[in-house]
């Protein structure tokens, strides 16, 4: 039976954080499409500092659950994508990024400029600034994946309820990795979570400057 994909607008409208999953395996090609959606995301200087660990085995999901305040959906989900940032990724990847850029039409003058400005910018960061930078970059890729999963008809659950050191241990992550969030997905079991609603646009959006009503 042919599956009908949702439009992006429909996926955004209908997405809810899923409380419980049925655990059925995800076909490899769907997983590829979800991952590729994340890897297509924009990032500062195109440095792509994200790293993802895909957890599907029952044993590893169980360990990850224990590192995530025992949240049941980590173990129940068909797959959990652990989204990380690598604080040292740019040191290794700068030349590769420039090579690929040049192959795609990046002007040589831009490449020469980036070769010095990227290290200048990123090596000036404190550890907290680097975490902030990684959170920003990785979250955009994470959101691409979450929405692609929804487009393909999966249910998703973004999660920040985990312990950094424990997830490091379970996944044997390098020291330079910073775990940003977990994306559990699969097919929902049981009823949808309640709809918590959203603040009105006047509560969160301003026109031209802070405090001016958008409407
Ligand atoms: C970054 C992030 C982290 C979250 N972490 C958790 C979590 O650890 N456990 C959980 O049950 N829900 C978690 N949520 C789900 C939120 O509670 C949920 O998105 C919010 O209540 C709005 O509901 P909705 O997603 O169904 O619209 C998280 C959501 C986001 C965006």
């Amino acid at each position: 039976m042919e599956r009908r994909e949702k439009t992006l607008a429909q996926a955004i409208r209908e997405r809810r954080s899923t409380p419980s999953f049925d655990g059925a395996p995800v076909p490899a090609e769907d997983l590829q499409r979800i991952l590729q959606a994340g890897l297509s995301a924009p990032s500062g200087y195109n440095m792509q500092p994200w790293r993802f660990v895909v957890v599907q085995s029952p044993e590893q999901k169980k360990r990850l659950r224990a590192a995530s305040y025992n949240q049941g959906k980590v173990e129940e989900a068909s797959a959990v994508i652990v989204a990380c940032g690598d604080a040292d990724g740019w040191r290794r990847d700068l030349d590769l990024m420039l090579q690929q850029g040049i192959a795609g039409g990046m002007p040589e003058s831009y490449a020469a400029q980036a070769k010095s400005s990227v290290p200048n910018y990123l090596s000036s960061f404190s550890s907290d600034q680097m975490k902030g930078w990684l959170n920003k970059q990785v979250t955009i890729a994470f959101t691409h994946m979450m929405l692609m999963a929804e487009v393909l008809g999966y249910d998703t659950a973004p999660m920040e309820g985990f312990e950094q050191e424990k997830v490091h241990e379970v996944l044997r992550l390098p020291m330079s990795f910073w775990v940003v969030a977990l994306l559990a997905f699969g097919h929902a079991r049981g009823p949808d979570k309640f709809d918590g609603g959203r603040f009105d646009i006047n509560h969160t959006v301003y026109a031209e400057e802070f405090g001016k009503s958008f409407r």
Side-chain angles (χ1 to χ4, degrees), residues 15-19 68-69 71 73 139 142 146 156-162 180-182 193-198:
R15 184 206 58 76
R16 286 271 74 76
S17 292
T18 302
S68 308
Y69 300 107
Q71 296 197 67
K73 54 193 156 191
T139 300
F142 179 96
M146 181 175 73
T156 60
M159 304 175 71
E160 62 186 344
F162 59 85
V180 174
L182 272 48
K193 181 174 146 288
F194 62 88
D195 178 358
R198 292 297 186 268

Side-chain angles (χ1 to χ4, degrees), residues 82-116:
V82 183
C84 311
D86 183 357
D88 285 342
W90 64 273
R91 295 179 197 276
R92 290 184 290 273
D93 291 344
L94 179 56
D95 287 340
L96 178 62
M97 180 280 282
L98 294 173
Q99 266 171 32
Q100 290 189 337
I102 288 167
M106 178 191 283
E108 296 277 355
S109 58
Y110 177 98
Q113 166 80 25
K115 199 162 170 87
S116 60

Side-chain angles (χ1 to χ4, degrees), residues 11-127:
I12 291 170
R13 193 170 59 242
E14 295 176 358
R15 184 206 58 76
R16 286 271 74 76
S17 292
T18 302
S20 183
F21 294 96
D22 71 8
V26 181
E29 76 197 66
D30 286 356
L31 190 52
Q32 277 291 332
R33 286 185 66 189
I34 292 166
L35 292 168
Q36 288 297 341
L39 305 188
S40 307
S43 59
Y45 288 108
N46 199 23
M47 277 314 314
Q48 306 160 63
W50 43 66
R51 302 289 182 266
F52 300 98
V53 181
V54 181
V55 177
Q56 296 181 91
S57 76
E59 310 77 46
Q60 198 62 336
K61 281 192 287 188
K62 195 179 177 119
R63 289 190 206 105
L64 193 57
R65 174 183 181 164
S68 308
Y69 300 107
N70 198 29
Q71 296 197 67
K73 54 193 156 191
V74 173
E75 197 174 350
E76 291 170 357
S78 306
V80 183
I81 299 175
V82 183
C84 311
D86 183 357
D88 285 342
W90 64 273
R91 295 179 197 276
R92 290 184 290 273
D93 291 344
L94 179 56
D95 287 340
L96 178 62
M97 180 280 282
L98 294 173
Q99 266 171 32
Q100 290 189 337
I102 288 167
M106 178 191 283
E108 296 277 355
S109 58
Y110 177 98
Q113 166 80 25
K115 199 162 170 87
S116 60
S117 58
V118 171
N120 283 344
Y121 178 55
L122 295 177
S123 64
S124 74
F125 282 0
S126 67
S127 163

